[in-house]
């Protein structure tokens, strides 16, 4: 044993899990910060739920099945705006998913090593471009072409209900392009640009975590590059693919400005996404908050609350899928 | 040695065991230079490029001669499709179905990436192309819209008030978001416990809050219930509500990847937990935190919907955030585009260019801050002998009897903890 002067006079240090001194201050202080955060963010959620109660009580299930939003005649419902929200988001994901997947695969598997960091930065930059800029792009640059495409789709695939545009003849000498623009389809394209980089970033991150050994093993066994991707990269990154897509979907559901710029509001449940006019929950809020009375504001908050719940469910599912899969880590949005 | 001798004796029992060295043959032909293994041969490359050249011709024939398909869009679509077809045929001729699939997948994946790149270029290019003209007028950046009629030319009026408004609102939002968001992240990672799990769950749930709902919340509470004016402060609060969960969550992700060994080392040296956080955890995570914050700011500065409901749109420079309505860049762009006036739309594009440049600037700063310090890192070496590790197991272990290993690079500069910087 040690033979130090005064060794036996030193009492063993008192060991405790409880913080003392500076640590106690730190721990309680930081806990207070956390509690503040909880109060603020949780308060927003609770407030929304609380404000939505009178609306739900007043309109009951009719709130979910009524299509019109006419506060003057006391007919308020979110059936049309909810389906509009979902159709815009689905159109967006229809474009965004394949593009995000191919871009992520290209960056992680095909791109030359030298330009890979540049491409990664570019995708991140795309995610940071303000939504109003994509709104301008979609409204003034893409929409005429999207209208052309919509007319083409109706002319050739019009027998499928979602590609039909009622009351318009695609083969007329002078087609009524007004019927093909300002639609969920056009808004979906702009929203796709917004959510694609986000989904792509998550997918790329997951792909980049694929174990190099497994990739090399596949190649050494004679797989082509696509064979390697199909048998190693995609199975490994499946969680990231689904999770990234759902995160993008969550964002697409809540997108406002691009949609407000592009669509012309209409409150009808319709499956034909190419036809002019639709409405989403967020565009409803943006359009109606100004002249809303207290009761209407409650109804708007209720609509916002429903939107929040849907987004929450989608995001939670995404988080669960990403965490459960093998490719868990590194999927921050 | 022994094994070699054994085989030698078995192979030729008579001859004495000796090693035969190959003699150098000066008359032999020079060795054929071998091409790199991973690279395609000239033949393969010809097939790859040739397929697309053929597709170009095919597309021209189809769109210009055979079918009435005017316009660039059709040409590109047909070019891509016929490119797929030609490379599929060539691939199938060469390597069968497997090669065919590989070719097709490669073409589709590259095509998707190119399309995304084209979309990005068209977005940025379109905005700058349309917004170029307002930017050539100096007053666009130095004056506001007071006293400017809707149809006045570009030589009057500008975006100064919107830029200033955006910056003030963002600054106020950051004042709240930064300490609260990072503090919460520190709480969730460093203290933990059941309460922290609740906080984390709620914060993660609230990242799903659509930004317009955040705006509606502040509008209802601050403007209508509390009777506050539609002002920069209200807009800042709306942006705060939107950004708080995002920043807290991103910071949480960053702090969670700080190696636990660093924390333990600091605690084992006797530092308090506060000092560990302040001197070890936060500095280690600094680049990541900066990125998280800056990307949050980029998101906040471009988000229109919370501002739309809460700030009102003043046409003149307002410096006081609690004094009436205030404009900001996204809102300015939005209201100009909605007005539909050609000059207004031109102004909107000018403002969008300014906004895009601001975001770009923030983004570049984020990249610079987050960049790992690569320049100082010495060449990679085998792990055990690498002198740049803090602890060398061979030199540092006093029980190694052979003493210090002979090394030529003793005086190589020692770099501290490469774990951290990488």
């Amino acid at each position: 044993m040690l033979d130090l002067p005064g060794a036996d006079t030193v009492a063993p240090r008192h060991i405790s899990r409880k913080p003392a001194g500076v640590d106690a201050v730190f721990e309680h202080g930081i806990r207070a910060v956390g509690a503040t955060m909880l109060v603020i963010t949780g308060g927003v959620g609770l407030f929304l739920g609380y404000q939505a109660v009178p609306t739900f009580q007043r309109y009951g299930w009719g709130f979910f099945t009524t299509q019109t939003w006419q506060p003057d005649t006391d007919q308020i419902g979110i059936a049309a705006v909810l389906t509009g929200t979902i159709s815009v988001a689905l159109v967006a994901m229809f474009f965004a998913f394949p593009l995000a997947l191919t871009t992520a695969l290209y960056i992680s598997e095909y791109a030359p090593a030298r330009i890979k960091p540049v491409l990664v930065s570019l995708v991140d930059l795309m995610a940071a471009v303000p939504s109003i800029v994509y709104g301008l792009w979609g409204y003034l640059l893409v929409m005429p072409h999207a209208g052309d495409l919509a007319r083409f789709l109706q002319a050739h695939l019009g027998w499928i209900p979602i590609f039909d545009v009622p009351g318009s003849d695609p083969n007329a000498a002078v087609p009524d392009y007004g019927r093909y623009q300002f639609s969920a389809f056009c808004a979906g394209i702009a929203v796709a640009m917004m959510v694609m980089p986000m989904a792509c970033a998550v997918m790329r991150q997951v792909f980049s975590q694929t174990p190099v050994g497994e990739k090399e093993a596949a190649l050494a066994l004679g797989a082509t590059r696509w064979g390697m991707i199909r048998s190693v990269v995609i199975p490994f990154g499946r969680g990231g693919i689904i999770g990234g897509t759902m995160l993008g979907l969550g964002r697409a559901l809540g997108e406002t400005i691009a949609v407000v710029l592009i669509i012309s509001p209409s409150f009808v449940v319709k499956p034909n996404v190419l036809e002019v006019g639709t409405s989403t929950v967020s565009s409803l809020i943006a359009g109606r908050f100004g002249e809303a009375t207290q009761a209407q504001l409650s109804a708007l908050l209720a609509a916002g609350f429903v939107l929040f719940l849907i987004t929450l469910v989608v995001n939670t599912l995404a988080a669960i899928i990403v965490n459960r899969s093998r490719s868990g880590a590194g999927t921050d949005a | 040695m022994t094994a070699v001798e054994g085989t030698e004796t078995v192979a030729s029992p008579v001859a004495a065991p000796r090693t035969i060295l190959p003699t150098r043959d000066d008359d032999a032909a020079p060795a054929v230079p071998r091409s790199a293994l991973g690279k395609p041969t000239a033949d393969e490359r010809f097939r790859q490029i040739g397929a697309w050249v053929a597709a170009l011709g095919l597309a021209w024939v189809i769109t210009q001669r055979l079918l009435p398909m005017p316009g660039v869009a059709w040409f590109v679509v047909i070019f891509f499709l016929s490119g797929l077809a030609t490379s599929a045929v060539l691939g199938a001729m060469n390597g069968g179905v497997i090669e065919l699939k590989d070719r097709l997948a490669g073409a589709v994946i590259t095509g998707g990436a190119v399309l995304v790149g084209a979309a990005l270029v068209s977005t940025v290019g379109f905005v700058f192309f349309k917004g170029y003209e307002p930017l050539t007028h100096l007053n666009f950046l130095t004056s506001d819209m007071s006293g400017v009629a809707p149809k006045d030319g570009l030589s009057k009026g500008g975006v100064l008030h919107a830029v200033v408004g955006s910056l003030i609102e963002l600054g106020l939002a950051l004042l709240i978001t930064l300490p609260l968001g990072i503090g919460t992240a520190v709480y969730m990672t460093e203290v933990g416990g059941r309460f922290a799990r609740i906080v984390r769950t709620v914060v993660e749930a609230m990242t799903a809050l659509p930004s317009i709902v955040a705006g509606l919340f502040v509008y209802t509470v601050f403007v209508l219930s509390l009777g506050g004016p539609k002002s920069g402060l209200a807009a800042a609060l709306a942006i705060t509500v939107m950004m708080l969960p995002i920043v807290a969550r991103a910071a949480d992700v960053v702090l969670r990847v700080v190696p636990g060994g660093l924390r333990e080392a600091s605690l084992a040296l006797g530092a308090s937990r506060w000092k560990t956080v302040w001197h070890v955890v936060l500095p280690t995570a600094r680049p990541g935190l900066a990125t998280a914050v800056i990307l949050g700011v980029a998101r906040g500065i471009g988000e229109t919907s919370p501002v739309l409901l809460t700030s009102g749109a003043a046409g003149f420079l307002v410096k006081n955030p609690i004094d009436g309505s205030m404009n900001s860049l996204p809102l300015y762009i939005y209201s100009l585009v909605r007005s539909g006036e050609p000059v207004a739309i031109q102004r909107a594009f000018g403002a969008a260019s300014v906004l895009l440049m601001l975001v770009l600037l923030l983004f570049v700063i984020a990249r610079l801050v987050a960049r790992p310090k690569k320049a100082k890192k010495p060449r990679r070496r085998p792990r055990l002998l690498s002198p740049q590790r803090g602890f060398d197991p061979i030199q540092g272990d006093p029980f190694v009897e052979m003493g210090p290993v002979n090394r030529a690079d003793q005086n190589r500069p020692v770099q501290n903890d490469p774990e951290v910087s990488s």
Side-chain angles (χ1 to χ4, degrees):
Chain A
M1 289 297 286
L2 291 174
D3 190 19
L4 295 172
D8 47 7
T9 62
V10 177
R13 186 166 65 99
H14 176 65
I15 294 177
S16 161
R17 282 184 60 82
K18 273 199 174 173
V22 189
D23 276 351
V25 175
F26 164 68
E27 200 161 292
H28 288 110
I30 206 83
R31 181 165 285 146
V33 171
T36 316
M37 185 75 168
L38 183 68
V39 167
I40 294 177
T41 53
V44 175
L46 286 181
F47 175 83
L48 285 176
Y50 174 72
Q51 286 288 315
V53 168
T55 305
F56 290 142
Q57 275 174 349
R58 178 168 168 75
Y59 298 99
W61 283 108
F63 188 66
F64 293 96
T65 54
T66 311
Q67 295 187 16
T68 50
W69 188 276
Q70 285 169 332
D72 303 336
T73 59
D74 201 27
Q75 284 195 320
I76 281 181
I78 54 171
V81 287
L82 265 192
T83 47
T85 306
I86 291 168
S87 63
V88 168
L90 286 184
V91 170
M93 291 326 290
F94 174 80
F95 287 107
F97 172 72
L99 288 180
L101 183 62
T102 51
T103 308
L105 279 178
Y106 180 80
I107 292 177
S108 71
E109 304 302 326
Y110 284 82
R114 212 174 318 139
I115 64 166
K116 204 182 267 190
V118 180
L119 294 179
V120 171
S121 304
L122 276 182
V123 169
D124 289 352
L125 179 64
M126 273 182 97
V129 169
S131 55
I132 182 94
V133 171
Y134 287 128
L136 287 179
W137 176 80
Y139 179 48
L140 294 168
L141 182 70
V142 174
M143 195 151 75
H145 304 293
D148 274 352
L149 182 59
R151 192 196 58 77
F152 175 82
L153 284 176
Q154 194 210 348
H156 295 90
L157 297 169
W159 46 274
I160 305 173
I162 59 166
F163 292 128
D164 193 22
V165 180
S168 171
D169 177 18
N171 299 315
V174 183
D176 180 9
Y177 278 108
R179 299 284 300 162
Y180 298 102
Q181 297 182 350
F182 310 101
S183 62
F185 178 70
C186 300
I189 292 177
V191 176
M193 273 298 275
M194 239 163 280
V195 299
M196 195 284 301
M198 202 172 142
C200 179
V202 174
M203 291 182 196
R204 183 197 56 77
Q205 230 161 15
V206 173
F207 290 155
S208 70
Q209 287 166 354
T210 314
V212 182
E214 289 184 25
K215 280 158 69 172
E216 284 173 354
L219 291 174
L221 286 171
T224 55
R225 192 170 346 199
W226 167 244
M228 182 267 286
I229 291 173
R230 218 196 51 192
S231 57
V232 178
V233 178
I234 289 185
F236 181 84
R238 188 168 289 145
I241 296 174
I242 300 173
T245 310
M246 293 186 83
L247 278 178
L249 181 64
R251 180 112 187 258
L253 287 169
E255 184 46 51
T256 313
I257 281 305
V259 179
V260 174
L261 270 183
I262 289 172
I263 62 166
S264 74
S266 94
F267 293 91
V268 184
V269 175
K270 53 170 126 187
N272 9 35
V273 292
L274 301 182
E275 194 195 352
V276 56
T278 183
S279 232
T280 70
V281 175
S282 38
S283 75
L284 171 79
I285 296 174
R288 295 298 176 92
F289 80 98
E291 67 265 24
T293 62
Q294 191 60 43
Q296 292 167 29
L297 207 61
S298 162
L300 285 180
L301 281 165
F305 182 62
V306 171
L307 176 64
F308 168 56
L309 285 187
I310 295 174
T311 323
L312 181 59
V313 168
V314 169
N315 278 14
T316 312
L317 281 181
I320 291 174
I321 289 171
V322 173
N323 286 335
R324 280 251 179 101
S325 69
R326 214 178 129 205
S327 49
T331 46
D332 55 314
Chain B
M1 264 305 163
T2 50
V4 174
E5 277 170 1
T7 47
E8 282 272 325
T9 42
V10 169
S12 54
V14 186
R18 58 185 283 264
T19 312
I20 301 166
L21 291 172
T23 51
R24 185 177 168 82
D25 185 3
D26 287 331
D27 299 331
V32 181
R34 187 173 169 185
S35 65
L37 274 178
K39 284 188 181 161
T41 60
D43 190 33
E44 269 177 281
R45 183 157 287 177
F46 178 75
R47 246 179 275 132
Q48 277 169 2
I49 299 171
W52 289 96
V53 174
L56 200 63
L58 213 55
W60 183 80
V61 169
I62 291 176
T63 54
Q64 311 297 316
R65 289 287 176 266
L66 293 181
L67 299 172
M69 288 172 165
V72 183
W74 272 122
F75 184 81
V76 172
V77 169
I78 298 294
F79 168 62
F80 185 67
L81 290 180
S82 46
L84 284 186
T86 45
S87 20
V89 168
L90 277 173
M93 281 165 63
N94 196 40
V97 179
I98 294 173
E99 177 84 14
L100 181 148
K101 279 187 193 162
D102 188 39
R103 282 286 162 76
L104 282 186
V108 169
I109 288 171
T110 313
V114 167
L115 183 59
V116 168
L120 175 65
V121 169
S122 80
T123 312
V124 175
F126 178 65
V127 168
F128 279 124
F129 175 71
K130 287 262 190 166
Y132 162 74
E133 203 184 337
L135 289 179
T136 55
H137 298 267
L138 192 63
N139 59 306
F140 191 69
L141 289 176
T142 55
S143 62
D144 56 24
M145 293 295 280
S146 55
V148 180
K151 297 201 174 186
D152 276 350
L154 290 172
S155 51
K156 284 180 87 177
V159 292
L160 181 68
H161 61 305
V163 175
V164 171
S166 265
L167 292 181
I168 289 177
E169 285 166 12
L170 241 290
L172 280 176
L174 270 186
L175 268 187
I176 311 173
T177 314
L178 212 55
L180 213 51
I182 293 182
T184 309
V186 168
Y187 172 61
M188 292 190 286
T189 49
E190 301 302 316
V191 178
R194 195 182 300 151
F195 186 60
R197 273 202 296 280
I198 297 174
V199 174
R200 179 174 282 149
T201 313
V202 171
V203 165
E204 287 193 352
M206 292 312 284
T207 50
L209 187 75
S211 54
I212 184 110
V213 181
L216 190 62
F217 168 76
V218 171
Y219 177 70
T220 317
V221 173
F222 185 79
V223 178
L224 292 184
S225 302
L226 298 181
K230 272 191 162 191
S231 60
L233 181 64
L237 287 178
I239 296 175
T240 307
V241 170
M242 187 202 84
M243 265 171 63
L244 255 183
I246 298 175
V247 169
R249 179 146 180 253
D252 178 39
V253 170
V254 170
L255 287 184
R256 261 197 278 185
V257 298
V258 171
L262 288 177
R263 285 190 195 100
E264 284 159 20
S266 164
L267 291 173
L269 285 172
S272 68
R273 288 172 74 177
W274 160 243
K275 293 221 157 171
T276 305
V277 169
W278 189 249
H279 290 291
V280 177
V281 176
L282 288 180
T284 309
R286 188 181 56 87
L289 285 177
T291 317
V293 168
I294 293 172
L295 290 183
V297 169
R299 176 97 189 269
I301 207 169
E303 200 63 72
T304 320
S305 30
V307 185
L308 174 70
L309 272 63
T310 47
S311 81
F316 43 88
L317 184 60
V318 180
K319 286 183 188 156
N320 186 352
I322 52 173
D323 176 30
S325 55
M326 186 186 240
N327 217 329
S328 55
L329 271 174
L331 190 57
Y332 177 75
I333 299 169
Y334 175 73
S335 41
L336 284 179
V337 171
R338 289 246 93 168
S339 77
E341 197 72 40
V343 182
I345 289 184
Q346 230 176 357
R347 277 185 209 283
F349 274 105
S353 313
V354 173
L355 178 60
L356 211 49
M357 281 191 279
L358 265 180
V359 170
L360 209 63
L361 185 73
L362 285 172
F363 193 78
V364 170
I365 293 174
R367 285 284 135 181
L368 288 182
V369 170
R371 195 171 51 181
K373 289 170 190 148
K374 254 185 198 159
K376 285 188 205 156
K377 192 177 262 179
R379 197 164 44 86
R380 252 197 114 72
R381 303 171 57 80
R383 201 162 244 233
L384 274 184
L385 292 177
S386 73
Q388 67 265 37
R389 296 267 151 190
F391 174 72
D392 187 331
I394 295 177
Q395 275 218 305
D397 188 352
F399 295 108
V400 171
E401 284 188 349
M402 54 183 163
V405 185
N406 177 29
R407 285 212 314 248
D409 48 6
Q410 286 279 353
N411 45 8
R412 181 185 283 277
V414 173
Q415 196 197 21
N416 290 325
D417 50 13
E419 302 266 37
V420 177
S421 61
S422 61

